[in-house]
Amino acid sequence: MHDGAVDLKAEARARIYAQPLEELDPAQPELFTQDAMWPIFERLRAEDPVHQVTSPTYGTYWSITRWDDIMAVDSNHQVFSSADGITLQSHEAKAEQVRRGTRPSFISMDPPRHDEQRKTVSPVVAPSNLQVMGPVIRERAGKILDGLPIGEEFDWVERVSKELTAMTLATLFDFPQEERQLLPYWSDMMTNMPGHGPVKSWEHKREAIDGMVERFVGLWNERVNAPPAGDLISMLCHGASTRDMDRLEYAGNLGLLIIGGNDTTRNTISGSVYALNKHPGEYAKLKANPALIPSMVSETIRWQTPLAHMARTATQDHELGGKTIKAGDRVAMWYVSGNRDEAVMESPNAYIIDRERPRHHMSFGFGIHRCVGNRLAELQLTIIWEEIMKRFPSIELAGEPTRTHSVFVKGYETLPVVIPTRN
């Protein structure tokens, strides 16, 4: 019996290596849904690591695919600005943005505004707060896992990955826990194009996001008149640099915090189950030595790379890798490629949970825009796996996942699994 997924990957690989180099374009969502984009990154790292291409969907941009070049861009915010947005945008999305207006957030700002706004919300993930949140996350993870069926197929994404991240996000926002599933729903509405995920049309997307903003404006109005508290909304409405933001800027920051709090953790929780099943020797290592969980978490974040790229705009002409990037050019840093760069790590395509330097990855970015919630993501992933190992001898794949149709969010729509038995 042949494996259709393998056939698709083999066909994609042959097609990619037959293409002229100048036509190679990594920004193809269809390849990401098939997990078949890797040969493009292999070729570009080897043959043209600073590569300009004109995409029919995203326009002309530079693909940066090697670790050192990505670091050079990510750590140079003076030359490579975030102000024009941090993702490649399709022509359709740009037209929609013109129609709706830009929703700026601090990740799409340069200093000093970026620094001021980031500083306002960063206390929510300070070490002292994470110590308080740890036991709460553990209790919730235990309840989620105790409610899973044994010996029956179910969707891990829906029952576990979405649930834990939704509970944590609701806590960060002090959002009602009984309505927590609105948060991953809104995240999916913001990150998907019409026809993918839950998004049926541009109108449907607009209605959902408008509803999200209305709900959070109501929460702002409640909390701005209350004493300052430790949740994100209170921090924003009482912060010196954020209390006077307009509705669009508030919406932009909400989007950033919801997506950032959802996608990295949710897709790495799913990715960890998938990776361990695809690498049974590593799963055996973990079962023999649960102390490897923190290392496994970091290796999964690298191997999964839950956000495939970040984009910047050059503010001036700049030479990189022997090429001249012109002022105004768009640049995509492919973290998903940098994390597989043979020049900086041994066996980068392998999943090795006891790597010597497991946190040596670029999934959280570098420089001023490094993920503010990276320690919270690692905490959730560590706790869920500590609780899994207490309960289940194994979690087994029941089929291949459905992957997200995106060149930005590298994740899973569904992941069918079976838990054969409890400990």
Side-chain angles (χ1 to χ4, degrees):
M1 186 172 74
H2 76 273
D3 185 335
V6 172
D7 287 351
L8 285 171
K9 289 183 185 180
E11 289 170 13
R13 185 177 193 85
R15 187 171 65 251
I16 287 163
Y17 271 88
Q19 272 185 282
L21 181 65
E22 62 271 16
E23 294 178 8
L24 287 185
D25 178 14
Q28 299 182 55
E30 295 77 14
L31 290 180
F32 278 81
T33 61
Q34 299 166 15
D35 197 37
M37 67 290 180
W38 302 108
I40 289 187
F41 293 124
E42 288 173 13
R43 276 198 74 189
L44 289 180
R45 284 196 304 271
E47 301 176 39
D48 197 17
V50 180
H51 170 79
Q52 191 173 40
V53 67
T54 298
S55 161
T57 304
Y58 300 98
T60 301
Y61 72 97
W62 291 90
S63 269
I64 314 299
T65 49
R66 282 187 187 164
W67 177 286
D68 288 347
D69 294 331
I70 293 168
M71 286 280 285
V73 172
D74 218 0
S75 56
N76 188 352
H77 63 269
Q78 294 92 347
V79 172
F80 297 101
S81 169
S82 298
D84 289 338
I86 50 90
T87 66
L88 294 175
Q89 278 196 304
S90 69
H91 299 305
E92 271 190 276
K94 287 177 184 174
E96 174 69 5
Q97 182 174 296
V98 169
R99 181 188 181 282
R100 292 279 295 157
T102 302
R103 295 188 294 267
S105 65
F106 66 80
I107 200 171
S108 57
M109 294 176 185
D110 296 323
R113 286 181 71 209
H114 164 273
D115 301 349
E116 293 165 353
Q117 294 199 7
R118 180 183 170 110
K119 188 177 179 181
T120 300
V121 298
S122 59
V124 81
V125 287
S128 57
N129 205 32
L130 295 185
Q131 281 190 330
V132 173
M133 291 186 70
V136 177
I137 294 169
R138 191 174 300 279
E139 180 185 1
R140 289 171 178 167
K143 287 181 179 177
I144 291 168
L145 297 173
D146 288 341
L148 298 178
I150 302 299
E152 298 174 20
E153 182 178 324
F154 66 94
D155 179 12
W156 183 265
V157 173
E158 193 66 32
R159 295 289 296 270
V160 182
S161 303
K162 279 188 180 180
E163 264 293 271
L164 185 64
T165 50
M167 286 178 172
T168 303
L169 264 179
T171 299
L172 294 176
F173 283 112
D174 193 16
F175 192 83
Q177 283 289 339
E178 62 272 18
E179 298 178 82
R180 62 185 175 271
Q181 283 302 327
L182 282 170
L183 298 169
Y185 170 73
W186 285 328
S187 180
D188 289 344
M189 291 300 294
M190 287 185 281
T191 57
N192 279 284
M193 294 284 284
H196 301 285
V199 185
K200 297 173 185 174
S201 64
W202 285 112
E203 183 180 8
H204 183 216
K205 187 179 177 89
R206 285 193 294 270
E207 287 174 355
I209 296 172
D210 286 348
M212 176 193 79
V213 175
E214 286 298 327
R215 183 64 189 279
F216 276 96
V217 166
L219 293 173
W220 173 292
N221 291 337
E222 289 173 13
R223 291 175 199 176
V224 75
N225 295 312
D231 64 275
L232 285 167
I233 300 169
S234 183
M235 288 176 175
L236 289 171
C237 65
H238 290 283
S241 62
T242 53
R243 63 191 176 204
D244 295 323
M245 65 172 61
D246 63 22
R247 186 187 180 97
L248 282 174
E249 194 168 317
Y250 181 44
N253 278 309
L254 286 173
L256 165 64
L257 295 167
I258 290 171
I259 294 167
N262 173 66
D263 284 305
T264 299
T265 310
R266 166 177 149 187
N267 288 314
T268 309
I269 292 173
S270 300
S272 61
V273 173
Y274 184 74
L276 288 166
N277 269 268
K278 290 298 182 179
H279 301 83
E282 301 305 298
Y283 207 170
K285 279 184 197 174
L286 189 67
K287 292 172 187 176
N289 183 11
L292 287 172
I293 287 173
S295 174
M296 179 275 289
V297 163
S298 291
E299 173 68 347
T300 307
I301 293 169
R302 179 198 71 85
W303 187 84
Q304 176 61 32
T305 315
L307 295 178
H309 81 270
M310 285 283 176
R312 302 285 187 264
T313 302
T315 60
Q316 61 193 62
D317 292 1
H318 184 81
E319 186 172 319
L320 184 69
K323 305 284 184 71
T324 300
I325 297 173
K326 298 284 189 181
D329 286 356
R330 291 288 279 164
V331 176
M333 301 176 288
W334 290 103
Y335 295 154
V336 69
S337 176
N339 274 336
R340 303 291 180 102
D341 189 344
E342 305 84 349
V344 297
M345 65 183 68
E346 190 176 345
S347 304
N349 292 317
Y351 179 73
I352 304 169
I353 67 168
D354 53 356
R355 281 188 184 272
E356 189 175 342
R357 298 172 62 201
R359 298 190 81 241
H360 183 61
H361 63 76
M362 53 176 45
S363 297
F364 293 131
F366 289 95
I368 64 168
H369 294 293
R370 181 170 170 81
C371 175
V372 70
N374 66 87
R375 293 295 187 181
L376 176 58
E378 291 171 337
L379 178 66
Q380 290 181 83
L381 287 153
T382 299
I383 287 173
I384 192 74
W385 269 101
E386 288 172 348
E387 297 304 310
I388 287 169
M389 298 296 283
K390 292 175 187 175
R391 288 166 172 79
F392 309 131
S394 66
I395 303 163
E396 298 177 3
L397 287 184
E400 284 296 304
T402 305
R403 291 182 170 85
T404 309
H405 186 272
S406 173
V407 300
F408 178 57
V409 176
K410 183 174 171 287
Y412 305 86
E413 297 290 328
T414 64
L415 184 69
V417 302
V418 171
I419 301 174
T421 185
R422 295 185 188 276
N423 286 332

